[in-house]
Amino acid sequence: MLFSVIAEMDESKWDDKPGEEYHFPKRYAKMLMPGTRVVYYKGRLRDRQFRGQRLSDEPHYFAIATIANVYPDPNAKRGELYAIVKDFQPFTQPLLAKNHQGYFEEIPANRQSNYWRDGVRSIDQGIFQKILEQAHLGSVVQPETDVDTDDNTHLESASYREGGKIRYFNTKYERDPQLRRVAVKLHGVTCSACGFNFKDFYGDYAEGFIHIHHIQPVSEFGGEKEVNPVTDLVPLCANCHSIIHRRKDRTLSVDELKVMIASNKDVKT
């Protein structure tokens, strides 16, 4: 198992959320492979406006987590990578990078002047355990479960009349909100079938809105299954997503929907 320290900047060009995602240069790829246990680190406070977002003004560690998956960032100009983080466990108190015994991390003699500039630093299991032993660990933070029924397929459905109202009971399927975020970063927010973009049509209010479609409906998984956002997910507008799932006994493919759209345009012209 690999162990690394990842530095989080108070101000960054990335919109990363601690415990969910982390961008990094490709030179760090071997230190942040899936399964790597990481310790979050912040350097010394440089701008007081960020004081409320930190546990300390001093260099400190503030959380641990695990790298779940790593993907190329399609918008990166220099080949940066994008990691999904799981099992994020924040500290309730800052753990200063240096105490009366010295630094937790072992600094090579030839790196004394520039060691702390690295955004990702490899450590061994002993250092990782030493940090854990002195850290005040909070609860593991899991992303909120995203539950929906947009594949329009239910294992069972029943309705009961009561007081003039109808109550509906349907089976719903859990969705991982991290997968949606990755899919949006990888594929964008323009419909893969018809090319519709909500922001272009409605303006800034609709920026970022899109449905994410599972090429194989979640209801057909037969249980939990690994989903690759690169190959298994595509963005669709609400209309195209609804048409793909219009019938309970059949799910159209995106290519089939594209043919339908093109054929209808040909008829109208």
Side-chain angles (χ1 to χ4, degrees):
M1 180 179 293
L2 299 176
F3 301 88
S4 295
V5 171
I6 55 177
E8 184 186 82
M9 307 297 292
D10 287 326
E11 190 171 18
S12 171
K13 63 179 179 179
W14 308 112
D15 60 348
D16 294 343
K17 297 179 181 178
E20 295 184 4
E21 53 208 18
Y22 187 77
H23 278 88
F24 58 94
K26 59 183 178 182
R27 67 178 180 273
Y28 296 135
K30 292 183 178 180
M31 290 188 279
L32 291 179
M33 300 176 66
T36 302
R37 296 286 282 154
V38 296
V39 181
Y40 276 83
Y41 165 89
K42 274 186 179 289
R44 191 179 306 277
L45 177 67
R46 302 297 182 186
D47 190 334
R48 291 185 179 182
Q49 69 172 312
F50 296 106
R51 177 167 285 164
Q53 302 173 22
R54 302 167 53 104
L55 295 180
S56 172
D57 291 354
E58 299 300 316
H60 65 284
Y61 308 106
F62 66 94
I64 58 172
T66 303
I67 301 298
N69 290 294
V70 177
Y71 307 97
D73 187 334
N75 300 315
K77 297 180 180 180
R78 298 182 178 178
E80 289 90 348
L81 301 173
Y82 172 75
I84 293 298
V85 178
K86 65 179 181 179
D87 300 330
F88 181 72
Q89 191 169 12
F91 299 170
T92 59
Q93 298 179 26
L95 181 62
L96 299 185
K98 183 179 182 180
N99 58 26
H100 64 281
Q101 296 179 335
Y103 292 106
F104 282 95
E105 297 178 55
E106 297 176 358
I107 306 174
N110 62 345
R111 296 293 313 281
Q112 295 292 325
S113 62
N114 60 2
Y115 177 79
W116 302 99
R117 295 179 184 176
D118 287 344
V120 180
R121 305 187 292 270
S122 179
I123 58 175
D124 60 30
Q125 186 172 4
I127 294 174
F128 182 83
Q129 290 298 334
K130 190 181 297 184
I131 291 173
L132 287 192
E133 288 171 3
Q134 298 194 37
H136 295 266
L137 298 174
S139 300
V140 175
V141 177
Q142 299 290 2
E144 294 182 5
T145 300
D146 183 16
V147 181
D148 62 37
T149 56
D150 60 15
D151 65 359
N152 291 333
T153 306
H154 314 297
L155 294 180
E156 54 186 75
S157 178
S159 63
Y160 299 87
R161 292 189 175 276
E162 180 179 80
K165 297 180 180 180
I166 299 177
R167 291 184 176 179
Y168 291 93
F169 299 86
N170 294 307
T171 300
K172 299 184 179 182
Y173 301 91
E174 289 187 342
R175 311 298 175 93
D176 187 341
Q178 287 187 331
L179 282 174
R180 172 185 167 78
R181 284 190 288 272
V182 176
V184 167
K185 285 185 176 292
L186 293 175
H187 304 300
V189 292
T190 296
C191 180
S192 296
C194 71
F196 184 84
N197 183 286
F198 283 89
K199 180 183 178 182
D200 291 346
F201 191 84
Y202 294 104
D204 291 343
Y205 185 81
E207 182 176 6
F209 185 81
I210 195 68
H211 285 200
I212 296 299
H213 168 63
H214 288 72
I215 293 176
Q216 178 188 12
V218 178
S219 59
E220 296 179 3
F221 283 5
E224 292 187 358
K225 174 186 173 182
E226 289 291 329
V227 176
N228 185 338
V230 177
T231 58
D232 299 335
L233 302 176
V234 293
L236 291 175
C237 70
N239 283 348
C240 286
H241 205 185
S242 296
I243 295 301
I244 273 183
H245 291 298
R246 187 183 182 198
R247 297 181 180 177
K248 292 183 178 181
D249 61 345
R250 182 188 178 192
T251 300
L252 294 176
S253 70
V254 174
D255 286 339
E256 287 176 317
L257 186 60
K258 287 180 178 179
V259 171
M260 290 171 59
I261 294 171
S263 298
N264 191 50
K265 286 182 178 179
D266 291 340
V267 170
K268 287 184 176 180
T269 57

